């Protein structure tokens, strides 16, 4: 997939899921699957979900745009319910994330491994604009890196989510995160959580393999 | 599971609990007054037989059976009794104190954290009930610790207190499904799980948990499991009268109960009927396991000894002549400590 370079876009415009710049980016459809039950890190999660279908969102359209300093992904998927608020203990939010390798060859399926980190840009419907920027080196190991580095914006309308997740190409940190520049080729994977189905943590739909991402030269 | 060097524990003598909720309020005022905690009762006292808090929690699963994790359900806020909203503004500040009275605002609740108080079971004149105070059991085999994919819950090596690390917690609530006692709450403001902390900041200063120290009934014993001079080892190991609630849940609680005796039954002529107990044995067995029958016999035997003027160490212990001896050394007066709020 190509991340289209659009010169002169300010961040606010870049984050707009309905912005005109998305019409210039070619979106790709990705099939998602539920994460393997055997890889859930605890017995109690495994018994709770054994035999239940999860990974309710099985298809997502992804497009990418950058403006020379920030990269944004737009994810679109069908979801009959908008789950934004945690108004009861049984309520979970819709969420999505883009995963990039911090280290070439880091595995998607286990979200990295010790010494081979991955970098996730996470958006959730209940926190919308304030995304999370995390590093992981294995399931259950995510740790936040920096404050407000990831920005997101989600619109739910007529049974569809359109969500933009964005981060600066380069960030100031000594942590192993994806550092990008125009013209680079990297990889990405995505995950979507259907809050209405109780999905959270490792209980999610994901694209099980890396996809190539080429950032157009600025 | 992490090995602990020592284990703090509590023994609650149910024969002394009067259901006054002083423990509940002591805990509430100390720990759960912040935003997002309004509906939390880390300490609760319910009438048994009764549905408990959250409503019917004993049927919600979780814990372990034969060492295998049992799937559990999440309670709803309504199951937990929620936090009712009142017209405080109107009554206290609205200038209408002569016309309005305190009442619930919004939907009329159909449940509360102590909704079925004193209902119990049985028919007059043989009705029965008792109070069951509950906190987090700080289990030896904690289902919450096992369940968390982020390892955000730890059992402290030095004293076995089970704590949630709110910096690691992401509010997934697997722990709330896994805890068979349903003693973990979700903070909607901070989006983290929270629960009884066995008043560890007090413990670290030699002060017993607030629920225990504030108890007017002197029924909560505190101390290390392995302290032979302390009350826990004496009650649980020496006299063997402390039983965990629902040993069938497989988590090995470190909160123990001295089971409740009850007055004798009356027969149809109004005469005392000693042929069967007022509280059915099978009910007590369902709560405290099969050993409860034996424990009740020990209590009866020792009570008879005391009545006959003989010495009973067990009765002396349970009566608690010297208040401070209940606390296994955690008897420092909190007023002597300079607490900081930072």
């Amino acid at each position: 997939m190509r991340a289209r370079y659009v010169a002169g876009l300010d961040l606010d415009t870049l984050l707009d899921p309905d912005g005109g710049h998305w019409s210039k980016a070619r979106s790709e459809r990705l099939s998602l699957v539920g994460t393997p039950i055997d890889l859930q890190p605890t017995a109690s999660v495994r018994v709770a979900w054994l035999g239940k279908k999860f990974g309710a969102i099985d298809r997502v359209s992804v497009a990418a745009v950058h403006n020379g300093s920030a990269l944004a992904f737009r994810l679109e998927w069908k979801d009959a319910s908008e789950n934004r608020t945690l108004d009861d203990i049984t309520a979970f939010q819709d969420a999505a994330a883009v995963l990039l390798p911090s280290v070439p060859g880091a595995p998607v399926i286990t979200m990295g491994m010790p010494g081979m980190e991955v970098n996730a840009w996470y958006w959730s419907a209940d926190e919308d604009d304030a995304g999370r920027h995390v590093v992981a080196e294995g399931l259950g190991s995510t740790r936040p890196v920096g404050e407000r580095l990831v920005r997101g914006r989600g619109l739910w309308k007529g049974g569809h989510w359109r969500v933009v997740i964005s981060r600066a190409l380069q960030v100031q940190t000594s942590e192993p995160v994806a550092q990008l520049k125009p013209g680079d080729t990297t990889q990405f994977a995505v995950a979507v959580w259907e809050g209405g189905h109780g999905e959270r943590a490792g209980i999610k739909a994901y694209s099980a393999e890396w996809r190539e991402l080429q950032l157009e030269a600025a | 599971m992490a090995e602990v060097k020592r284990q703090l524990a509590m023994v609650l003598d149910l024969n002394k609990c009067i259901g006054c909720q002083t423990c509940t309020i002591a805990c509430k005022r100390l720990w759960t007054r912040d935003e997002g905690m309004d509906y939390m009762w880390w300490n609760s006292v319910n009438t048994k037989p009764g549905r408990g808090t959250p409503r019917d929690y004993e049927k919600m699963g979780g814990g372990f059976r034969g060492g295998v994790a049992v799937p559990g359900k999440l309670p709803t806020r309504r199951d937990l009794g929620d936090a009712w909203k009142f017209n405080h503004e109107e009554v206290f500040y609205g200038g209408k104190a002569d016309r309005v009275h305190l009442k619930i605002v919004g939907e009329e609740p159909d449940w509360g954290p102590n909704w079925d108080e004193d209902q119990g079971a049985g028919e007059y004149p043989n009705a029965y009930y008792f109070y069951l105070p509950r906190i987090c059991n700080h289990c030896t085999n904690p289902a919450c610790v096992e369940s968390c994919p982020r390892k955000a819950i730890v059992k402290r090596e030095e004293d076995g207190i089970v704590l949630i690390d709110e910096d690691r917690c992401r509010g997934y609530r697997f722990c709330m499904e896994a805890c068979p006692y349903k003693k973990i709450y979700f903070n909607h403001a901070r989006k983290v799980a929270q629960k009884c902390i066995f008043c560890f900041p007090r413990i670290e200063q030699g002060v017993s948990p607030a629920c225990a120290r504030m108890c007017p009934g002197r029924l909560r014993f505190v101390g290390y499991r392995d302290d032979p001079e302390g009350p826990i080892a004496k009650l649980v190991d020496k006299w063997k009268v402390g039983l965990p609630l629902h040993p069938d849940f497989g988590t090995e609680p470190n909160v123990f109960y001295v089971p409740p005796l009850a007055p004798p039954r009356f027969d149809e002529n109004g005469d005392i009927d000693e042929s069967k107990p007022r509280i059915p044995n099978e009910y007590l067995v369902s709560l405290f396991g099969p050993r409860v029958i034996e424990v009740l016999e020990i209590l009866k035997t020792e009570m008879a000894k005391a009545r006959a003027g003989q010495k009973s160490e067990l009765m002396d212990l349970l009566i608690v002549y010297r208040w401070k001896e209940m606390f296994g050394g955690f008897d420092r007066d909190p007023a002597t400590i300079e607490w900081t709020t930072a």
Side-chain angles (χ1 to χ4, degrees), chain B residues 122-123 125-129 262-266 273 276-281:
Chain B
E123 289 296 322
N126 292 315
Y128 60 91
Y129 66 76
R265 290 171 53 85
F266 296 104
D273 173 12
K276 53 182 176 178
R278 179 178 287 243
I279 305 177
N281 281 342

Side-chain angles (χ1 to χ4, degrees), chain A residues 167-191:
Chain A
R167 198 206 71 181
L169 294 174
Q170 295 279 324
V171 293
Q172 293 283 329
T173 177
S174 56
E175 288 274 12
V177 302
Q179 301 282 9
L180 307 165
K181 56 183 190 304
D184 275 0
T185 296
T186 183
Q187 293 169 310
F188 76 100
V190 301

Side-chain angles (χ1 to χ4, degrees), chain B residues 37-337:
Chain B
M37 305 175 101
D38 50 357
Y39 79 109
M40 294 185 193
W41 300 98
W42 291 356
N43 181 102
S44 51
V45 184
N46 281 109
T47 299
K48 295 301 274 182
R51 296 170 75 181
T53 298
R55 178 167 51 191
D56 299 326
Y57 77 92
E58 289 153 299
K59 299 174 194 161
M60 286 184 179
F64 306 96
R65 196 175 298 127
V68 178
V70 175
K73 266 181 62 180
L74 285 174
T76 62
R77 281 181 68 106
R78 188 172 272 213
D79 290 333
L80 280 150
D82 216 334
W84 305 344
K85 303 276 186 294
F86 293 87
N87 59 336
H88 290 126
E89 275 298 311
E90 189 183 24
V91 171
F92 296 121
Y93 310 110
K96 293 186 275 184
D98 55 340
R99 276 161 286 154
V100 296
H101 61 87
L102 198 64
K103 62 181 184 204
I104 289 166
V105 176
E107 205 183 332
E108 196 67 24
D110 65 354
W111 192 250
N114 192 25
W115 190 264
D116 52 0
E117 183 173 46
D118 291 2
Q119 287 181 14
E123 289 296 322
Y124 175 84
N126 292 315
Y128 60 91
Y129 66 76
F130 57 92
Y131 299 110
L132 183 67
R134 300 200 301 122
I135 59 172
C136 165
N137 287 311
H138 298 277
C139 302
T140 293
N141 187 22
C144 57
V145 173
E146 189 287 326
S147 72
C148 182
R150 295 185 57 73
K151 298 185 172 65
I153 311 184
V154 294
K155 187 166 176 66
R156 302 210 301 188
E157 197 183 40
E158 63 268 38
D159 54 21
I161 295 176
V162 174
L163 294 177
I164 299 171
D165 178 346
E166 292 183 13
D167 292 330
R168 279 213 62 74
C169 176
R170 290 281 283 112
Y172 295 148
R173 288 159 269 173
F174 293 120
C175 56
M176 298 177 69
E177 290 179 352
C179 174
Y181 299 95
K182 297 292 172 262
K183 264 296 172 199
I184 308 179
Y185 298 80
F186 183 61
N187 183 318
H188 292 263
R190 301 186 56 192
K191 297 174 187 173
V192 292
Q194 296 179 320
K195 66 165 198 71
C196 159
I197 56 175
F198 209 81
C199 285
F200 78 88
R202 289 166 64 102
I203 287 288
E204 288 171 359
Q205 299 293 327
V207 183
S208 68
C211 58
R213 192 176 164 97
M214 296 297 281
C215 176
R218 298 191 180 187
L219 62 97
R220 292 180 182 239
F221 300 84
V222 175
Y224 286 111
R225 237 350 262 282
D226 64 355
D227 173 8
E229 299 309 310
I232 308 295
K234 283 183 187 164
L235 291 168
V236 177
D237 300 312
K238 183 178 178 189
W239 283 97
K240 297 186 170 20
V241 293
L243 297 170
L245 176 64
H246 283 299
D248 47 313
F249 289 169
T251 62
E252 297 177 48
N254 287 298
V255 172
F256 301 89
Y257 296 94
V258 179
L261 292 158
R265 290 171 53 85
F266 296 104
D267 65 18
E268 53 272 29
N269 304 317
D271 295 324
I272 286 175
D273 173 12
E274 303 263 22
S275 67
K276 53 182 176 178
R278 179 178 287 243
I279 305 177
N281 281 342
E282 52 273 29
Y283 180 65
L284 292 176
V285 168
S286 76
L287 291 181
F288 302 108
R291 269 209 66 234
V292 71
I293 310 300
E294 182 191 329
V295 172
L296 293 175
E297 288 309 313
I298 297 170
L299 293 172
K300 284 183 204 161
T301 304
E302 292 302 309
M303 280 170 79
K305 267 166 62 180
R307 278 203 197 98
Q310 295 169 35
K311 173 102 184 124
S312 167
E313 185 199 37
L314 178 60
M315 285 302 119
D316 287 354
L317 263 169
L318 292 174
I319 288 166
V320 189
Y321 289 106
R322 281 166 297 275
W323 178 57
K324 285 190 170 188
E325 289 178 8
M326 297 189 76
F327 303 129
F330 295 94
D331 56 11
R332 185 167 171 195
D333 178 353
T336 63
I337 297 165

Side-chain angles (χ1 to χ4, degrees), chain A residues 106-180:
Chain A
V108 178
I109 193 165
T110 56
M111 284 187 71
M113 55 191 277
M116 293 187 90
E117 295 88 351
V118 290
N119 181 201
W121 305 358
Y122 174 87
W123 164 90
S124 71
D126 62 320
E127 293 174 350
D128 205 15
D129 189 45
R132 286 174 189 258
H133 187 233
V134 301
V135 164
E137 45 186 333
L139 297 172
S141 73
T142 62
R143 59 177 191 268
V145 172
E147 296 274 332
R148 293 186 65 85
L149 293 176
V150 170
R151 304 282 303 276
R153 201 156 295 165
L155 285 176
W156 183 91
K157 211 172 154 187
H160 280 84
W161 271 113
R162 286 200 304 288
V163 173
V164 177
I165 305 175
S166 168
R167 198 206 71 181
L169 294 174
Q170 295 279 324
V171 293
Q172 293 283 329
T173 177
S174 56
E175 288 274 12
V177 302
Q179 301 282 9
L180 307 165

Side-chain angles (χ1 to χ4, degrees), chain B residues 11-47:
Chain B
V11 176
L12 294 87
D13 182 356
L14 297 183
N15 294 291
K16 298 173 85 178
C17 182
I18 57 170
C20 68
Q21 308 281 358
T22 305
C23 48
T24 307
I25 299 303
C27 176
K28 185 79 196 162
R29 290 199 49 94
L30 195 51
W31 298 118
T32 61
R33 297 174 72 188
D34 286 350
E35 198 194 345
M37 305 175 101
D38 50 357
Y39 79 109
M40 294 185 193
W41 300 98
W42 291 356
N43 181 102
S44 51
V45 184
N46 281 109
T47 299

